[in-house]
Amino acid sequence: MWSLGFLAFLGVAAAEDGLNGWLRYASLPCSGQCRSNLPSTIVTLNTTKTSPVYVAGTELKIGLKGVYGKNVQVTHNKCKVSSSIIVGTIDQYRRSCGAVNGVPDLEEDGFWLNTKGDNVQIFGQNERGALYGAFEYLSMLAQGNFSEVSYASNPSAPIRWVNQWDNMDGSIERGYGGPSIFFNNGQIVQDLTRVAEYARLLASIRINAVVINNVNANATLLDPTNLDGVGRVADIFRPYGIQVGLSLNFASPQTYGGLSTFDPLDASVIEWWSNITAQVYERVPDMAGYLVKADSEGQPGPQTYNRTLSDAANLFAKEVKPYGGIVMYRAFVYNQLNESIWTDDRAKAAVNFFKDLDGEFEDNVVIQIKFGPIDFQVREPASPLFANLFNTSMAIELQVTQEYLGQQSHLVYVAPLWKTILDFDLRVDHQPSLVRDIVTGKRFNRKLGGSAAVVNVGTNTTWLGSHLSMSNLYAYGRLAWNPADDTQEILQDWIRLTFGLDRKVLDTITRMSMESWPAYEQYSGNLGIQTLTDILYTHYGPNPASQDNNGWGQWTRADQTTIGMDRTVANGTGYSGQYPDEIAAMYESIESTPDDLLLWFHHVNYTHRLHSGKTVIQHFYDSHYTGAETAQGFLEQWESLQGKIDTERYNHVRHFLDYQTGHSIVWRDAINNFYYNLSGIPDQAKRVNHHPWRIEAESMKLDGYKTYNVSPFETASGSVAIVTISNNTAGTASTKIPFPSGTYDLAVNYYDLFGGQSQWKVYLNDRKIGQWTGNSEDIFSHTPSIYLDGHSATRIKFRNVKVRRGDILKIVGMPNGTEPAPLDYVALLPAGIID
Ligand code: GCV
């Protein structure tokens, strides 16, 4: 049997569950330069075990042992030790060791890293910075990088937060990685091991605060026992340089405190919050601040009392100011609207609510603004609010959790999408005004600023629900530190740290990841029409009709001949006029609006020609075919890495990508069918609604099965599926194979519902050739559905099946619970045909 050491030598890591993320410190070979450059001692300049500098020492020790098998001693407060890593703050070094030479002034949280052979200096401006420097050095070592470096690194902005949308009962809103690591049953959990592990990951990407509870906040977090729990959580995060923040429910003084009002200007309300804030800071003296969602999606707010949003923000700002806290006030404020009013437009809400309040906020208030004006869609223009506040601090809000982007069941590396916003030049006053320079405070000279990302890790060992989605968390931290960084370079650091240094592994995961957001956009919503998920239910699978005819304002205004939101000043909602002149002019005109945002800004015929020369409708059709085809390639590319990645992660990712290949086809067909049905315009390439290799389940011979009209219709091939007649008796669907004899891949499209685990068996002339169970709710990360729809529609494939014309193909479905073993169609795919 192979020993672990031998496997490590081969570069094949032992089975891994993802818990260590990119901090695996997987073993690398070490000879020559490596041997002579490995320090023998770690000197930390703080002996307090809960200090970030002490933690840095421990982490360095673990890293050196893990990567290079070297046992290194940690000592404290000794200055001149040869072959050593010395880690501490600049001040600690000066105090213990004397002058430091050649180190430039560092900004808050910044660090200095200096490596010369086996002598390494890591100095932070503060303890947090020293810890960041240690992680930076470890990241080099874990990537086999022994170059001599000497540089300072400073953050782009002071606010580098993450938000968790965790509920007190342990569920997580839009969380796809299992239940909360913080809460259970209305309380903070007792065992905080996972919290410490999360802290370590976050510190390594230089996150400095975490808001632990949902913005749709529950006031019971404020009860004394729970606040004690928050204190325990803060104690876990503190050694990693991370502060804790809390989301507040605006009505708490009334709903929880028993007052008759929650009017932000009422003296009793102010006193109530003052008292609560004192209780919080008594337990968490370094609490980062409050996060507030008010007057939004049913959450209470100051409008109840005709007070302004600044009245509300300032109430909290004044309370936390003496303690050094800040208030993150969310710009996600909007009302229900009426689609029959042509000028109604949710995208205008943030500017309408906040613009006139510019300058009215206390200086420790930061307006937290989602990157686009709607809600984390697959493509949006930059929020115009970034260009409308000059005397108010701002932070950009991003989503690591892939709420509208495949919920971690689809590979989507989101950082390139974020980059389209961060690098966008809003041309305020005709001057360069990149979003990244606005939110970091540089453009308008604000002291505060930065970013917050909704992360939503859970107790799953992969944290987010799937291994590959962790690139998004890693990239978020890197971009929060330096939004000018290159997203592919960030990705490649993550790949090397997560999967090792093999060139083929690096190239393959790079290619798949960089193709993934464009592909997802291609097979979901194109040309700025939004993602086209079901916005009334799970936000996962396709349902374009759900965007319209309701008050949520995510409209497409699609009818038989036209589509898109007219957001021009001349004929539409006037939204384009919220941008500075140059940008407003660009979006106002169809000619200068980029194709990828055409339908965000303009209402056009399906036959309108894009700059590309294609019509809108043909672009939809073509993109959906291209995107789904790219997704098929992810699986093939991943399979080429077999043997180069540990079995546990290889199989897990393979299973997810296999699922994605099928679901990308569900997306492709649903969107294409929907718009073909609406517009009646055929696909020039004759693919849409034309599937020569399919056999519809409803056209098979049925026994114990009956037909079922699927809703939305476009999520079933031919709009009809079959379900078993009874909930406890098997059904059979059989058919004669009409295709030429040969070898095919057999694809079966079925629906995997929450509420049961049906079993299907496939026979060829009574010989069983495959079987599966409808248990994806236990395996994949996305929100399951109780219906036959675009969320539950799933494809399974059996490869290389030899058939003869006239063979009998039979599927037996055994229902379970409320899942009636539904089937949509089978396809026999000759080599090279995707269907
Ligand atoms: C936490 C969207 C999401 C909600 C979320 C909200 C917000 O509407 O679907 O789940 O609520 O945004 O950001 O507040």
Side-chain angles (χ1 to χ4, degrees):
M1 207 175 136
W2 288 352
S3 71
L4 273 182
F6 183 64
L7 284 178
F9 170 75
L10 284 177
V12 179
E16 299 195 47
D17 57 12
L19 196 58
N20 283 314
W22 50 85
L23 298 178
R24 298 154 57 243
Y25 303 134
S27 172
L28 291 178
C30 184
S31 57
Q33 198 199 18
C34 166
R35 281 265 151 251
S36 55
N37 282 355
L38 281 186
S40 309
T41 311
I42 296 162
V43 181
T44 68
L45 298 176
N46 192 341
T47 52
T48 308
K49 288 204 165 128
T50 50
S51 70
V53 163
Y54 191 97
V55 169
T58 311
E59 190 72 27
L60 287 162
K61 184 176 166 67
I62 297 170
L64 282 162
K65 172 80 182 147
V67 184
Y68 295 112
K70 175 142 183 175
N71 284 310
V72 180
Q73 241 207 327
V74 183
T75 65
H76 305 283
N77 296 337
K78 291 190 185 154
C79 294
K80 305 260 176 304
V81 183
S82 63
S83 183
S84 70
I85 307 169
I86 183 156
V87 58
T89 67
I90 290 268
D91 285 346
Q92 286 164 347
Y93 186 85
R94 282 201 189 104
R95 274 200 305 273
S96 313
C97 313
V100 253
N101 298 322
V103 182
D105 280 347
L106 297 174
E107 288 166 33
E108 191 172 348
D109 295 352
F111 63 86
W112 165 257
L113 175 63
N114 183 25
T115 65
K116 262 201 186 63
D118 58 353
N119 282 300
V120 178
Q121 292 178 318
I122 301 170
F123 299 143
Q125 182 271 347
N126 53 18
E127 293 234 350
R128 200 185 256 158
L131 179 58
Y132 296 165
F135 277 118
E136 174 99 338
Y137 174 63
L138 281 165
S139 169
M140 288 177 64
L141 289 187
Q143 295 183 63
N145 178 356
F146 285 93
S147 34
E148 293 206 341
V149 296
S150 187
Y151 59 86
S153 183
N154 290 301
S156 67
I159 297 171
R160 304 180 305 278
W161 289 28
V162 298
N163 296 173
Q164 289 278 141
W165 286 352
D166 295 32
N167 298 314
M168 304 290 298
D169 64 2
S171 63
I172 303 180
E173 184 159 349
R174 316 299 175 192
Y176 311 107
S180 173
I181 61 171
F182 297 105
F183 302 102
N184 184 16
N185 218 2
Q187 294 185 329
I188 305 270
V189 296
Q190 282 309 314
D191 180 357
L192 295 176
T193 312
R194 286 298 296 269
V195 173
E197 287 161 351
Y198 190 32
R200 176 174 171 252
L201 283 175
L202 292 181
S204 75
I205 49 170
R206 305 171 197 169
I207 298 302
N208 58 7
V210 51
V211 177
I212 61 174
N213 63 316
N214 192 353
V215 285
N216 294 328
N218 184 331
T220 61
L221 180 62
L222 303 176
D223 90 33
T225 316
N226 281 333
L227 286 184
D228 287 347
V230 173
R232 285 192 293 118
V233 169
D235 291 346
I236 299 286
F237 275 112
R238 195 171 296 111
Y240 292 91
I242 297 170
Q243 292 167 266
V244 162
L246 299 179
S247 295
L248 297 181
N249 183 303
F250 199 75
S252 306
Q254 189 182 68
T255 56
Y256 173 71
L259 301 189
S260 60
T261 174
F262 56 90
D263 179 350
L265 299 189
D266 184 279
S268 65
V269 170
I270 297 171
E271 194 192 331
W272 192 86
W273 281 117
S274 194
N275 182 23
I276 285 287
T277 305
Q279 289 182 44
V280 172
Y281 277 96
E282 196 186 310
R283 286 142 171 114
V284 188
D286 57 352
M287 210 266 299
Y290 291 141
L291 171 61
V292 182
K293 172 180 180 179
D295 293 317
S296 167
E297 302 186 330
Q299 290 302 309
Q303 287 173 1
T304 310
Y305 299 96
N306 278 331
R307 305 301 186 196
T308 66
L309 306 178
S310 50
D311 289 334
N314 292 344
L315 158 71
F316 300 118
K318 286 179 194 146
E319 294 307 333
V320 295
K321 196 175 223 164
Y323 304 99
I326 65 175
V327 171
M328 303 291 282
Y329 200 92
R330 292 179 89 223
F332 190 62
V333 179
Y334 68 97
N335 297 324
Q336 290 273 312
L337 299 169
N338 184 346
E339 193 169 357
S340 66
I341 302 171
W342 187 248
T343 49
D344 263 12
D345 186 359
R346 171 169 156 190
K348 289 192 297 189
V351 170
N352 286 349
F353 277 113
F354 284 88
K355 182 181 164 69
D356 292 343
L357 297 174
D358 189 24
E360 300 292 315
F361 294 94
E362 294 284 323
D363 62 4
N364 60 333
V365 172
V366 178
I367 306 300
Q368 182 169 315
I369 305 168
K370 290 191 182 185
F371 72 74
I374 296 282
D375 196 13
F376 304 127
Q377 297 301 294
V378 70
R379 189 182 291 271
E380 297 192 36
S383 169
L385 188 55
F386 295 125
N388 280 281
L389 298 177
F390 313 108
N391 300 299
T392 304
S393 297
M394 290 177 267
I396 190 169
E397 183 176 313
L398 306 171
Q399 242 190 359
V400 165
T401 192
Q402 296 166 226
E403 176 183 350
Y404 293 92
L405 303 177
Q407 303 187 348
Q408 278 94 294
S409 287
H410 288 230
L411 163 64
V412 182
Y413 178 49
V414 191
L417 159 61
W418 301 334
K419 262 305 232 194
T420 64
I421 304 292
L422 291 167
D423 289 352
F424 188 75
D425 188 348
L426 283 160
R427 305 293 303 161
V428 178
D429 294 332
H430 304 280
Q431 300 299 312
S433 309
L434 303 187
V435 170
R436 65 177 197 237
D437 292 333
I438 294 175
V439 298
T440 52
K442 290 186 184 61
R443 174 67 178 84
F444 303 128
N445 221 355
R446 305 289 314 169
K447 213 165 72 226
L448 284 176
S451 50
V454 184
V455 178
N456 293 352
V457 299
T459 54
N460 191 303
T461 62
T462 65
W463 294 98
L464 286 167
S466 77
H467 293 288
L468 296 185
S469 54
M470 287 292 272
S471 60
N472 291 321
L473 178 53
Y474 182 81
Y476 166 64
R478 291 279 303 267
L479 289 173
W481 185 262
N482 183 5
D485 270 0
D486 178 80
T487 53
Q488 179 164 316
E489 281 170 22
I490 295 173
L491 172 73
Q492 294 200 320
D493 282 341
W494 174 79
I495 295 169
R496 282 185 288 259
L497 295 170
T498 306
F499 291 110
L501 307 186
D502 185 279
R503 187 78 225 177
K504 181 160 182 201
V505 170
L506 181 71
D507 291 346
T508 306
I509 302 179
T510 301
R511 196 164 68 235
M512 293 163 54
S513 303
M514 295 308 288
E515 285 174 352
S516 62
W517 167 58
Y520 188 82
E521 183 183 31
Q522 285 167 336
Y523 64 73
S524 59
N526 316 137
L527 304 175
I529 197 63
Q530 304 168 91
T531 310
L532 301 179
T533 57
D534 187 332
I535 66 153
L536 303 176
Y537 187 29
T538 66
H539 295 190
Y540 179 62
N543 187 353
S546 71
Q547 315 281 130
D548 291 285
N549 302 313
N550 58 56
W552 292 102
Q554 290 191 218
W555 306 320
T556 69
R557 291 194 188 280
D559 61 21
Q560 291 184 348
T561 48
T562 56
I563 184 167
M565 282 290 289
D566 187 338
R567 291 190 158 109
T568 62
V569 174
N571 302 307
T573 70
Y575 164 86
S576 64
Q578 292 188 338
Y579 288 97
D581 293 349
E582 288 175 51
I583 305 303
M586 174 176 75
Y587 289 143
E588 182 72 13
S589 133
I590 291 201
E591 281 66 47
S592 49
T593 302
D595 281 351
D596 57 21
L597 284 172
L598 176 77
L599 302 179
W600 189 280
F601 285 100
H602 300 280
H603 184 73
V604 299
N605 286 322
Y606 292 109
T607 50
H608 171 85
R609 269 197 200 278
L610 304 169
H611 297 120
S612 70
K614 284 186 189 178
T615 61
V616 165
I617 192 73
Q618 194 57 43
H619 179 96
F620 271 29
Y621 296 152
D622 290 348
S623 291
H624 281 82
Y625 273 89
T626 310
E629 193 173 337
T630 306
Q632 313 303 302
F634 297 159
L635 179 64
E636 284 164 33
Q637 291 179 61
W638 184 258
E639 285 179 340
S640 76
L641 302 181
Q642 188 165 19
K644 288 179 176 288
I645 286 172
D646 56 283
T647 319
E648 189 170 352
R649 288 186 302 169
Y650 173 81
N651 286 336
H652 194 269
V653 173
R654 195 203 158 277
H655 205 48
F656 273 62
L657 294 174
D658 192 19
Y659 167 80
Q660 184 179 3
T661 61
H663 202 240
S664 68
I665 287 176
V666 170
W667 264 102
R668 180 198 75 185
D669 291 351
I671 301 298
N672 282 347
N673 285 342
F674 181 83
Y675 289 104
Y676 172 54
N677 182 67
L678 193 60
S679 70
I681 303 173
D683 167 26
Q684 283 165 3
K686 297 192 172 53
R687 297 155 300 188
V688 176
N689 226 7
H690 180 71
H691 301 284
W693 301 102
R694 282 188 191 175
I695 304 170
E696 296 293 337
E698 62 273 22
S699 66
M700 293 182 173
K701 190 169 153 232
L702 305 183
D703 182 9
Y705 263 119
K706 61 180 179 188
T707 58
Y708 182 90
N709 292 329
V710 174
S711 173
F713 76 88
E714 69 274 13
T715 58
S717 187
S719 2
V720 177
I722 59 169
V723 293
T724 51
I725 290 170
S726 117
N727 264 7
N728 45 34
T729 314
T732 304
S734 51
T735 186
K736 229 185 223 176
I737 291 184
F739 307 122
S741 304
T743 302
Y744 295 84
D745 282 352
L746 171 69
V748 183
N749 274 56
Y750 65 105
Y751 297 86
D752 194 336
L753 275 48
F754 183 80
Q757 307 212 328
S758 309
Q759 294 207 326
W760 291 261
K761 290 183 179 150
V762 193
Y763 298 86
L764 196 63
N765 297 333
D766 288 331
R767 182 174 57 87
K768 193 170 85 187
I769 57 167
Q771 64 177 34
W772 73 97
T773 304
N775 59 355
S776 61
E777 61 274 23
D778 292 344
I779 297 173
F780 298 110
S781 44
H782 60 271
T783 314
S785 167
I786 56 170
Y787 306 110
L788 279 74
D789 56 20
H791 321 299
S792 59
T794 311
R795 170 180 274 219
I796 188 166
K797 220 165 165 185
F798 302 95
R799 295 189 197 181
N800 297 323
V801 179
K802 283 197 175 50
V803 300
R804 276 183 321 217
R805 195 195 289 274
D807 279 352
I808 302 292
L809 181 74
K810 183 171 78 181
I811 304 184
V812 179
M814 184 66 201
N816 177 259
T818 52
E819 187 179 69
L823 285 169
D824 185 6
Y825 65 90
V826 298
L828 282 144
L829 307 169
I833 301 276
I834 295 172
D835 158 48

